[in-house]
Amino acid sequence: MKWIALAVLIGCGAPTTYVAAPPPPATPAGDPTAPVRIVILTPSDRAPRPEAVGNVDRAMRESQRWYQERVGKSFRYQVIAASTPHPAGWYATTPHGDPWRDWFYENVVDDGFAAVGRRDERGLVTMFYILADETCGQNGGAARPGQGQVSDRGEGVISEKDLRGLAGEPTQVCPGGAPEVYGWDRWVGGPTHELGHAFGLRHPPDCETGAPTCVATSLMGNGYLTFPNAQLTDEDLAILRTSPFFQ
């Protein structure tokens, strides 16, 4: 949404300029004391997406319920909004270590924690949605604590592509790629998968190697595409049942 300044002539005096007030901050959703923070970041050259908090809250409630049905308990979360000092295109194009595939992720994480604080805090997971896209081929959705073991902290980055998906908008990022035709459930499955990494889950080793024993609908494999028809492995269940984030 663009805010337009209007000049109005009153009598013969100088024009008086009226500038529309900025939109109010999005109302937080979820539990403000929760150990899982879902943060929607708005870059300096973007206007907030007014539907984003509600859509993400709905997706998190579905993710929460999905884990509850399979693990017997689930995580508590809050959804909040924050702004960043850089324009949307800066995150994918500004060098941040090596390889270039990680630039988007690392830049978003740096700005995100600068905005909301509490980086690397034990007992806290922070997942950033940002109103910006990675460059085709970059990593935008990997949460990275230690994998394959119970985790006491976590983080992750999800690009605007997922917010567009939740809003029912086109989600294509890579030029010339095949059109994406996913529905709502895929955009719930994605953050459910990434939260799994934040909780300590890893990609199934047999799926990583392409072994015939790979279960196609494993959540931490490609099950985010078939969500909610997705499964947790025995290893996943053992980790989540002892996770400090599941109550």
Side-chain angles (χ1 to χ4, degrees), residues 192-229:
T192 302
H193 172 107
E194 300 306 337
L195 282 170
H197 282 312
F199 298 140
L201 308 187
R202 61 175 175 168
H203 294 146
D206 50 355
C207 294
E208 290 278 81
T209 61
T213 51
C214 170
V215 177
T217 55
S218 172
L219 175 69
M220 302 311 296
N222 288 329
Y224 68 94
L225 296 174
T226 61
F227 190 90
N229 177 24

PDB file of all heavy atoms in Angstrom, residues 192-229:
ATOM      1  N   THR A 192       6.297 -25.843   9.205  1.00  0.00           N
ATOM      2  CA  THR A 192       6.275 -26.995  10.107  1.00  0.00           C
ATOM      3  C   THR A 192       7.572 -27.780   9.978  1.00  0.00           C
ATOM      4  O   THR A 192       8.155 -28.229  10.975  1.00  0.00           O
ATOM      5  CB  THR A 192       5.054 -27.885   9.806  1.00  0.00           C
ATOM      6  OG1 THR A 192       3.857 -27.112   9.955  1.00  0.00           O
ATOM      7  CG2 THR A 192       4.995 -29.075  10.742  1.00  0.00           C
ATOM      8  N   HIS A 193       8.064 -27.934   8.750  1.00  0.00           N
ATOM      9  CA  HIS A 193       9.355 -28.580   8.481  1.00  0.00           C
ATOM     10  C   HIS A 193      10.492 -27.763   9.095  1.00  0.00           C
ATOM     11  O   HIS A 193      11.376 -28.311   9.778  1.00  0.00           O
ATOM     12  CB  HIS A 193       9.529 -28.710   6.964  1.00  0.00           C
ATOM     13  CG  HIS A 193      10.868 -29.178   6.516  1.00  0.00           C
ATOM     14  ND1 HIS A 193      11.088 -30.449   6.013  1.00  0.00           N
ATOM     15  CD2 HIS A 193      12.074 -28.540   6.435  1.00  0.00           C
ATOM     16  CE1 HIS A 193      12.363 -30.574   5.666  1.00  0.00           C
ATOM     17  NE2 HIS A 193      12.977 -29.408   5.913  1.00  0.00           N
ATOM     18  N   GLU A 194      10.497 -26.449   8.858  1.00  0.00           N
ATOM     19  CA  GLU A 194      11.591 -25.608   9.362  1.00  0.00           C
ATOM     20  C   GLU A 194      11.592 -25.554  10.891  1.00  0.00           C
ATOM     21  O   GLU A 194      12.657 -25.568  11.516  1.00  0.00           O
ATOM     22  CB  GLU A 194      11.497 -24.203   8.777  1.00  0.00           C
ATOM     23  CG  GLU A 194      11.590 -24.142   7.253  1.00  0.00           C
ATOM     24  CD  GLU A 194      12.823 -24.831   6.684  1.00  0.00           C
ATOM     25  OE1 GLU A 194      13.835 -24.988   7.425  1.00  0.00           O
ATOM     26  OE2 GLU A 194      12.788 -25.233   5.522  1.00  0.00           O
ATOM     27  N   LEU A 195      10.416 -25.497  11.497  1.00  0.00           N
ATOM     28  CA  LEU A 195      10.358 -25.574  12.950  1.00  0.00           C
ATOM     29  C   LEU A 195      10.925 -26.899  13.433  1.00  0.00           C
ATOM     30  O   LEU A 195      11.576 -26.956  14.488  1.00  0.00           O
ATOM     31  CB  LEU A 195       8.926 -25.395  13.434  1.00  0.00           C
ATOM     32  CG  LEU A 195       8.399 -23.963  13.445  1.00  0.00           C
ATOM     33  CD1 LEU A 195       6.895 -23.954  13.704  1.00  0.00           C
ATOM     34  CD2 LEU A 195       9.121 -23.119  14.497  1.00  0.00           C
ATOM     35  N   GLY A 196      10.680 -27.970  12.679  1.00  0.00           N
ATOM     36  CA  GLY A 196      11.272 -29.259  13.039  1.00  0.00           C
ATOM     37  C   GLY A 196      12.780 -29.159  13.153  1.00  0.00           C
ATOM     38  O   GLY A 196      13.391 -29.676  14.109  1.00  0.00           O
ATOM     39  N   HIS A 197      13.434 -28.482  12.195  1.00  0.00           N
ATOM     40  CA  HIS A 197      14.877 -28.282  12.292  1.00  0.00           C
ATOM     41  C   HIS A 197      15.230 -27.495  13.554  1.00  0.00           C
ATOM     42  O   HIS A 197      16.193 -27.810  14.250  1.00  0.00           O
ATOM     43  CB  HIS A 197      15.384 -27.516  11.063  1.00  0.00           C
ATOM     44  CG  HIS A 197      15.518 -28.354   9.838  1.00  0.00           C
ATOM     45  ND1 HIS A 197      16.145 -29.578   9.823  1.00  0.00           N
ATOM     46  CD2 HIS A 197      15.115 -28.115   8.552  1.00  0.00           C
ATOM     47  CE1 HIS A 197      16.122 -30.074   8.588  1.00  0.00           C
ATOM     48  NE2 HIS A 197      15.492 -29.204   7.812  1.00  0.00           N
ATOM     49  N   ALA A 198      14.469 -26.443  13.838  1.00  0.00           N
ATOM     50  CA  ALA A 198      14.746 -25.625  15.019  1.00  0.00           C
ATOM     51  C   ALA A 198      14.623 -26.445  16.306  1.00  0.00           C
ATOM     52  O   ALA A 198      15.323 -26.183  17.282  1.00  0.00           O
ATOM     53  CB  ALA A 198      13.802 -24.427  15.064  1.00  0.00           C
ATOM     54  N   PHE A 199      13.739 -27.441  16.308  1.00  0.00           N
ATOM     55  CA  PHE A 199      13.565 -28.298  17.475  1.00  0.00           C
ATOM     56  C   PHE A 199      14.625 -29.407  17.527  1.00  0.00           C
ATOM     57  O   PHE A 199      14.661 -30.170  18.487  1.00  0.00           O
ATOM     58  CB  PHE A 199      12.175 -28.933  17.467  1.00  0.00           C
ATOM     59  CG  PHE A 199      11.053 -27.935  17.533  1.00  0.00           C
ATOM     60  CD1 PHE A 199       9.902 -28.121  16.769  1.00  0.00           C
ATOM     61  CD2 PHE A 199      11.136 -26.808  18.334  1.00  0.00           C
ATOM     62  CE1 PHE A 199       8.850 -27.209  16.823  1.00  0.00           C
ATOM     63  CE2 PHE A 199      10.088 -25.886  18.390  1.00  0.00           C
ATOM     64  CZ  PHE A 199       8.947 -26.087  17.631  1.00  0.00           C
ATOM     65  N   GLY A 200      15.464 -29.512  16.487  1.00  0.00           N
ATOM     66  CA  GLY A 200      16.544 -30.486  16.489  1.00  0.00           C
ATOM     67  C   GLY A 200      16.408 -31.615  15.484  1.00  0.00           C
ATOM     68  O   GLY A 200      17.267 -32.492  15.418  1.00  0.00           O
ATOM     69  N   LEU A 201      15.335 -31.631  14.676  1.00  0.00           N
ATOM     70  CA  LEU A 201      15.142 -32.721  13.719  1.00  0.00           C
ATOM     71  C   LEU A 201      16.035 -32.527  12.501  1.00  0.00           C
ATOM     72  O   LEU A 201      16.340 -31.410  12.101  1.00  0.00           O
ATOM     73  CB  LEU A 201      13.675 -32.792  13.280  1.00  0.00           C
ATOM     74  CG  LEU A 201      12.620 -32.843  14.387  1.00  0.00           C
ATOM     75  CD1 LEU A 201      11.238 -33.074  13.790  1.00  0.00           C
ATOM     76  CD2 LEU A 201      12.956 -33.907  15.429  1.00  0.00           C
ATOM     77  N   ARG A 202      16.451 -33.629  11.908  1.00  0.00           N
ATOM     78  CA  ARG A 202      17.298 -33.582  10.709  1.00  0.00           C
ATOM     79  C   ARG A 202      16.561 -34.198   9.532  1.00  0.00           C
ATOM     80  O   ARG A 202      15.541 -34.876   9.691  1.00  0.00           O
ATOM     81  CB  ARG A 202      18.605 -34.329  10.951  1.00  0.00           C
ATOM     82  CG  ARG A 202      18.420 -35.808  11.280  1.00  0.00           C
ATOM     83  CD  ARG A 202      19.735 -36.537  11.403  1.00  0.00           C
ATOM     84  NE  ARG A 202      19.568 -37.924  11.828  1.00  0.00           N
ATOM     85  CZ  ARG A 202      20.536 -38.837  11.789  1.00  0.00           C
ATOM     86  NH1 ARG A 202      21.745 -38.510  11.334  1.00  0.00           N
ATOM     87  NH2 ARG A 202      20.312 -40.076  12.199  1.00  0.00           N
ATOM     88  N   HIS A 203      17.103 -33.979   8.331  1.00  0.00           N
ATOM     89  CA  HIS A 203      16.576 -34.684   7.165  1.00  0.00           C
ATOM     90  C   HIS A 203      16.838 -36.174   7.340  1.00  0.00           C
ATOM     91  O   HIS A 203      17.926 -36.553   7.789  1.00  0.00           O
ATOM     92  CB  HIS A 203      17.264 -34.193   5.886  1.00  0.00           C
ATOM     93  CG  HIS A 203      16.958 -32.762   5.555  1.00  0.00           C
ATOM     94  ND1 HIS A 203      17.875 -31.920   4.962  1.00  0.00           N
ATOM     95  CD2 HIS A 203      15.838 -32.023   5.727  1.00  0.00           C
ATOM     96  CE1 HIS A 203      17.331 -30.728   4.785  1.00  0.00           C
ATOM     97  NE2 HIS A 203      16.099 -30.763   5.247  1.00  0.00           N
ATOM     98  N   PRO A 204      15.891 -37.031   7.002  1.00  0.00           N
ATOM     99  CA  PRO A 204      16.127 -38.467   7.134  1.00  0.00           C
ATOM    100  C   PRO A 204      17.343 -38.881   6.311  1.00  0.00           C
ATOM    101  O   PRO A 204      17.413 -38.573   5.115  1.00  0.00           O
ATOM    102  CB  PRO A 204      14.844 -39.095   6.573  1.00  0.00           C
ATOM    103  CG  PRO A 204      13.808 -38.027   6.725  1.00  0.00           C
ATOM    104  CD  PRO A 204      14.533 -36.734   6.517  1.00  0.00           C
ATOM    105  N   PRO A 205      18.320 -39.554   6.905  1.00  0.00           N
ATOM    106  CA  PRO A 205      19.530 -39.926   6.164  1.00  0.00           C
ATOM    107  C   PRO A 205      19.245 -40.726   4.898  1.00  0.00           C
ATOM    108  O   PRO A 205      19.907 -40.527   3.877  1.00  0.00           O
ATOM    109  CB  PRO A 205      20.323 -40.754   7.181  1.00  0.00           C
ATOM    110  CG  PRO A 205      19.871 -40.231   8.511  1.00  0.00           C
ATOM    111  CD  PRO A 205      18.422 -39.917   8.331  1.00  0.00           C
ATOM    112  N   ASP A 206      18.250 -41.623   4.916  1.00  0.00           N
ATOM    113  CA  ASP A 206      17.979 -42.408   3.721  1.00  0.00           C
ATOM    114  C   ASP A 206      17.370 -41.558   2.614  1.00  0.00           C
ATOM    115  O   ASP A 206      17.521 -41.861   1.428  1.00  0.00           O
ATOM    116  CB  ASP A 206      17.089 -43.623   4.028  1.00  0.00           C
ATOM    117  CG  ASP A 206      15.837 -43.275   4.812  1.00  0.00           C
ATOM    118  OD1 ASP A 206      15.696 -42.096   5.201  1.00  0.00           O
ATOM    119  OD2 ASP A 206      15.020 -44.171   5.052  1.00  0.00           O
ATOM    120  N   CYS A 207      16.688 -40.461   2.983  1.00  0.00           N
ATOM    121  CA  CYS A 207      16.180 -39.553   1.960  1.00  0.00           C
ATOM    122  C   CYS A 207      17.312 -38.679   1.408  1.00  0.00           C
ATOM    123  O   CYS A 207      17.335 -38.341   0.223  1.00  0.00           O
ATOM    124  CB  CYS A 207      15.069 -38.669   2.527  1.00  0.00           C
ATOM    125  SG  CYS A 207      13.580 -39.584   3.003  1.00  0.00           S
ATOM    126  N   GLU A 208      18.260 -38.324   2.255  1.00  0.00           N
ATOM    127  CA  GLU A 208      19.406 -37.532   1.815  1.00  0.00           C
ATOM    128  C   GLU A 208      20.237 -38.295   0.787  1.00  0.00           C
ATOM    129  O   GLU A 208      20.781 -37.709  -0.146  1.00  0.00           O
ATOM    130  CB  GLU A 208      20.293 -37.158   3.006  1.00  0.00           C
ATOM    131  CG  GLU A 208      19.683 -36.146   3.958  1.00  0.00           C
ATOM    132  CD  GLU A 208      19.846 -34.728   3.464  1.00  0.00           C
ATOM    133  OE1 GLU A 208      19.053 -34.313   2.600  1.00  0.00           O
ATOM    134  OE2 GLU A 208      20.763 -34.032   3.930  1.00  0.00           O
ATOM    135  N   THR A 209      20.346 -39.625   0.963  1.00  0.00           N
ATOM    136  CA  THR A 209      21.159 -40.437   0.055  1.00  0.00           C
ATOM    137  C   THR A 209      20.347 -41.014  -1.100  1.00  0.00           C
ATOM    138  O   THR A 209      20.908 -41.664  -1.977  1.00  0.00           O
ATOM    139  CB  THR A 209      21.823 -41.594   0.821  1.00  0.00           C
ATOM    140  OG1 THR A 209      20.806 -42.430   1.392  1.00  0.00           O
ATOM    141  CG2 THR A 209      22.724 -41.050   1.928  1.00  0.00           C
ATOM    142  N   GLY A 210      19.031 -40.805  -1.085  1.00  0.00           N
ATOM    143  CA  GLY A 210      18.195 -41.359  -2.148  1.00  0.00           C
ATOM    144  C   GLY A 210      17.954 -42.847  -2.017  1.00  0.00           C
ATOM    145  O   GLY A 210      17.623 -43.518  -3.006  1.00  0.00           O
ATOM    146  N   ALA A 211      18.090 -43.376  -0.811  1.00  0.00           N
ATOM    147  CA  ALA A 211      17.897 -44.811  -0.599  1.00  0.00           C
ATOM    148  C   ALA A 211      16.429 -45.189  -0.810  1.00  0.00           C
ATOM    149  O   ALA A 211      15.528 -44.383  -0.572  1.00  0.00           O
ATOM    150  CB  ALA A 211      18.332 -45.192   0.813  1.00  0.00           C
ATOM    151  N   PRO A 212      16.174 -46.425  -1.266  1.00  0.00           N
ATOM    152  CA  PRO A 212      14.785 -46.846  -1.518  1.00  0.00           C
ATOM    153  C   PRO A 212      13.938 -46.905  -0.255  1.00  0.00           C
ATOM    154  O   PRO A 212      12.704 -46.949  -0.334  1.00  0.00           O
ATOM    155  CB  PRO A 212      14.942 -48.236  -2.137  1.00  0.00           C
ATOM    156  CG  PRO A 212      16.310 -48.692  -1.748  1.00  0.00           C
ATOM    157  CD  PRO A 212      17.151 -47.465  -1.630  1.00  0.00           C
ATOM    158  N   THR A 213      14.566 -46.874   0.926  1.00  0.00           N
ATOM    159  CA  THR A 213      13.820 -46.904   2.178  1.00  0.00           C
ATOM    160  C   THR A 213      13.296 -45.522   2.576  1.00  0.00           C
ATOM    161  O   THR A 213      12.574 -45.391   3.573  1.00  0.00           O
ATOM    162  CB  THR A 213      14.712 -47.440   3.310  1.00  0.00           C
ATOM    163  OG1 THR A 213      15.950 -46.697   3.321  1.00  0.00           O
ATOM    164  CG2 THR A 213      15.006 -48.922   3.097  1.00  0.00           C
ATOM    165  N   CYS A 214      13.637 -44.493   1.807  1.00  0.00           N
ATOM    166  CA  CYS A 214      13.151 -43.142   2.101  1.00  0.00           C
ATOM    167  C   CYS A 214      11.628 -43.111   1.998  1.00  0.00           C
ATOM    168  O   CYS A 214      11.055 -43.568   1.001  1.00  0.00           O
ATOM    169  CB  CYS A 214      13.759 -42.135   1.125  1.00  0.00           C
ATOM    170  SG  CYS A 214      13.018 -40.477   1.213  1.00  0.00           S
ATOM    171  N   VAL A 215      10.983 -42.569   3.016  1.00  0.00           N
ATOM    172  CA  VAL A 215       9.528 -42.404   3.009  1.00  0.00           C
ATOM    173  C   VAL A 215       9.228 -41.041   2.396  1.00  0.00           C
ATOM    174  O   VAL A 215       9.605 -39.996   2.949  1.00  0.00           O
ATOM    175  CB  VAL A 215       8.949 -42.499   4.429  1.00  0.00           C
ATOM    176  CG1 VAL A 215       7.444 -42.258   4.408  1.00  0.00           C
ATOM    177  CG2 VAL A 215       9.277 -43.865   5.040  1.00  0.00           C
ATOM    178  N   ALA A 216       8.549 -41.034   1.261  1.00  0.00           N
ATOM    179  CA  ALA A 216       8.341 -39.798   0.504  1.00  0.00           C
ATOM    180  C   ALA A 216       7.577 -38.750   1.291  1.00  0.00           C
ATOM    181  O   ALA A 216       7.748 -37.547   1.072  1.00  0.00           O
ATOM    182  CB  ALA A 216       7.610 -40.098  -0.800  1.00  0.00           C
ATOM    183  N   THR A 217       6.738 -39.190   2.233  1.00  0.00           N
ATOM    184  CA  THR A 217       5.918 -38.240   2.983  1.00  0.00           C
ATOM    185  C   THR A 217       6.496 -37.922   4.366  1.00  0.00           C
ATOM    186  O   THR A 217       5.797 -37.369   5.209  1.00  0.00           O
ATOM    187  CB  THR A 217       4.487 -38.778   3.127  1.00  0.00           C
ATOM    188  OG1 THR A 217       4.534 -40.080   3.728  1.00  0.00           O
ATOM    189  CG2 THR A 217       3.783 -38.845   1.781  1.00  0.00           C
ATOM    190  N   SER A 218       7.769 -38.258   4.595  1.00  0.00           N
ATOM    191  CA  SER A 218       8.393 -37.879   5.860  1.00  0.00           C
ATOM    192  C   SER A 218       8.439 -36.356   5.947  1.00  0.00           C
ATOM    193  O   SER A 218       8.902 -35.680   5.023  1.00  0.00           O
ATOM    194  CB  SER A 218       9.816 -38.442   5.935  1.00  0.00           C
ATOM    195  OG  SER A 218      10.493 -37.927   7.060  1.00  0.00           O
ATOM    196  N   LEU A 219       7.967 -35.795   7.055  1.00  0.00           N
ATOM    197  CA  LEU A 219       7.935 -34.337   7.194  1.00  0.00           C
ATOM    198  C   LEU A 219       9.295 -33.718   6.942  1.00  0.00           C
ATOM    199  O   LEU A 219       9.403 -32.687   6.266  1.00  0.00           O
ATOM    200  CB  LEU A 219       7.464 -33.940   8.598  1.00  0.00           C
ATOM    201  CG  LEU A 219       7.517 -32.436   8.878  1.00  0.00           C
ATOM    202  CD1 LEU A 219       6.466 -31.686   8.063  1.00  0.00           C
ATOM    203  CD2 LEU A 219       7.368 -32.144  10.369  1.00  0.00           C
ATOM    204  N   MET A 220      10.351 -34.337   7.461  1.00  0.00           N
ATOM    205  CA  MET A 220      11.676 -33.747   7.337  1.00  0.00           C
ATOM    206  C   MET A 220      12.360 -34.127   6.028  1.00  0.00           C
ATOM    207  O   MET A 220      13.496 -33.725   5.772  1.00  0.00           O
ATOM    208  CB  MET A 220      12.544 -34.134   8.538  1.00  0.00           C
ATOM    209  CG  MET A 220      11.951 -33.713   9.868  1.00  0.00           C
ATOM    210  SD  MET A 220      11.393 -31.972   9.909  1.00  0.00           S
ATOM    211  CE  MET A 220      12.950 -31.111   9.688  1.00  0.00           C
ATOM    212  N   GLY A 221      11.649 -34.904   5.195  1.00  0.00           N
ATOM    213  CA  GLY A 221      12.060 -35.090   3.813  1.00  0.00           C
ATOM    214  C   GLY A 221      11.229 -34.154   2.955  1.00  0.00           C
ATOM    215  O   GLY A 221      11.302 -32.935   3.092  1.00  0.00           O
ATOM    216  N   ASN A 222      10.398 -34.723   2.083  1.00  0.00           N
ATOM    217  CA  ASN A 222       9.530 -33.907   1.222  1.00  0.00           C
ATOM    218  C   ASN A 222       8.081 -33.874   1.699  1.00  0.00           C
ATOM    219  O   ASN A 222       7.201 -33.459   0.958  1.00  0.00           O
ATOM    220  CB  ASN A 222       9.583 -34.424  -0.219  1.00  0.00           C
ATOM    221  CG  ASN A 222      10.903 -34.097  -0.893  1.00  0.00           C
ATOM    222  OD1 ASN A 222      11.531 -33.074  -0.582  1.00  0.00           O
ATOM    223  ND2 ASN A 222      11.341 -34.968  -1.796  1.00  0.00           N
ATOM    224  N   GLY A 223       7.855 -34.292   2.944  1.00  0.00           N
ATOM    225  CA  GLY A 223       6.493 -34.330   3.452  1.00  0.00           C
ATOM    226  C   GLY A 223       5.853 -32.968   3.599  1.00  0.00           C
ATOM    227  O   GLY A 223       4.625 -32.874   3.690  1.00  0.00           O
ATOM    228  N   TYR A 224       6.673 -31.912   3.602  1.00  0.00           N
ATOM    229  CA  TYR A 224       6.081 -30.566   3.662  1.00  0.00           C
ATOM    230  C   TYR A 224       5.256 -30.270   2.414  1.00  0.00           C
ATOM    231  O   TYR A 224       4.360 -29.416   2.442  1.00  0.00           O
ATOM    232  CB  TYR A 224       7.173 -29.509   3.860  1.00  0.00           C
ATOM    233  CG  TYR A 224       8.110 -29.330   2.682  1.00  0.00           C
ATOM    234  CD1 TYR A 224       7.872 -28.367   1.717  1.00  0.00           C
ATOM    235  CD2 TYR A 224       9.239 -30.131   2.546  1.00  0.00           C
ATOM    236  CE1 TYR A 224       8.736 -28.204   0.632  1.00  0.00           C
ATOM    237  CE2 TYR A 224      10.101 -29.978   1.485  1.00  0.00           C
ATOM    238  CZ  TYR A 224       9.853 -29.011   0.524  1.00  0.00           C
ATOM    239  OH  TYR A 224      10.700 -28.862  -0.546  1.00  0.00           O
ATOM    240  N   LEU A 225       5.550 -30.990   1.315  1.00  0.00           N
ATOM    241  CA  LEU A 225       4.791 -30.800   0.076  1.00  0.00           C
ATOM    242  C   LEU A 225       3.458 -31.544   0.106  1.00  0.00           C
ATOM    243  O   LEU A 225       2.540 -31.195  -0.633  1.00  0.00           O
ATOM    244  CB  LEU A 225       5.614 -31.273  -1.125  1.00  0.00           C
ATOM    245  CG  LEU A 225       6.905 -30.510  -1.415  1.00  0.00           C
ATOM    246  CD1 LEU A 225       7.690 -31.192  -2.534  1.00  0.00           C
ATOM    247  CD2 LEU A 225       6.609 -29.058  -1.772  1.00  0.00           C
ATOM    248  N   THR A 226       3.357 -32.582   0.921  1.00  0.00           N
ATOM    249  CA  THR A 226       2.135 -33.383   1.000  1.00  0.00           C
ATOM    250  C   THR A 226       1.356 -33.089   2.287  1.00  0.00           C
ATOM    251  O   THR A 226       0.338 -33.733   2.544  1.00  0.00           O
ATOM    252  CB  THR A 226       2.461 -34.879   0.938  1.00  0.00           C
ATOM    253  OG1 THR A 226       3.306 -35.234   2.052  1.00  0.00           O
ATOM    254  CG2 THR A 226       3.173 -35.227  -0.355  1.00  0.00           C
ATOM    255  N   PHE A 227       1.841 -32.178   3.082  1.00  0.00           N
ATOM    256  CA  PHE A 227       1.227 -31.818   4.353  1.00  0.00           C
ATOM    257  C   PHE A 227      -0.280 -31.532   4.174  1.00  0.00           C
ATOM    258  O   PHE A 227      -0.675 -30.944   3.159  1.00  0.00           O
ATOM    259  CB  PHE A 227       1.934 -30.564   4.895  1.00  0.00           C
ATOM    260  CG  PHE A 227       1.573 -30.203   6.299  1.00  0.00           C
ATOM    261  CD1 PHE A 227       2.288 -30.709   7.360  1.00  0.00           C
ATOM    262  CD2 PHE A 227       0.512 -29.346   6.564  1.00  0.00           C
ATOM    263  CE1 PHE A 227       1.965 -30.370   8.664  1.00  0.00           C
ATOM    264  CE2 PHE A 227       0.164 -29.010   7.862  1.00  0.00           C
ATOM    265  CZ  PHE A 227       0.900 -29.524   8.917  1.00  0.00           C
ATOM    266  N   PRO A 228      -1.120 -31.984   5.113  1.00  0.00           N
ATOM    267  CA  PRO A 228      -0.822 -32.617   6.395  1.00  0.00           C
ATOM    268  C   PRO A 228      -0.589 -34.121   6.325  1.00  0.00           C
ATOM    269  O   PRO A 228      -0.412 -34.757   7.360  1.00  0.00           O
ATOM    270  CB  PRO A 228      -2.070 -32.305   7.210  1.00  0.00           C
ATOM    271  CG  PRO A 228      -3.172 -32.272   6.196  1.00  0.00           C
ATOM    272  CD  PRO A 228      -2.553 -31.668   4.951  1.00  0.00           C
ATOM    273  N   ASN A 229      -0.588 -34.679   5.116  1.00  0.00           N
ATOM    274  CA  ASN A 229      -0.256 -36.087   4.963  1.00  0.00           C
ATOM    275  C   ASN A 229       1.267 -36.220   5.029  1.00  0.00           C
ATOM    276  O   ASN A 229       1.953 -36.275   4.012  1.00  0.00           O
ATOM    277  CB  ASN A 229      -0.784 -36.625   3.629  1.00  0.00           C
ATOM    278  CG  ASN A 229      -0.404 -38.071   3.390  1.00  0.00           C
ATOM    279  OD1 ASN A 229      -0.149 -38.813   4.341  1.00  0.00           O
ATOM    280  ND2 ASN A 229      -0.333 -38.474   2.126  1.00  0.00           N
TER     281      ASN A 229
END
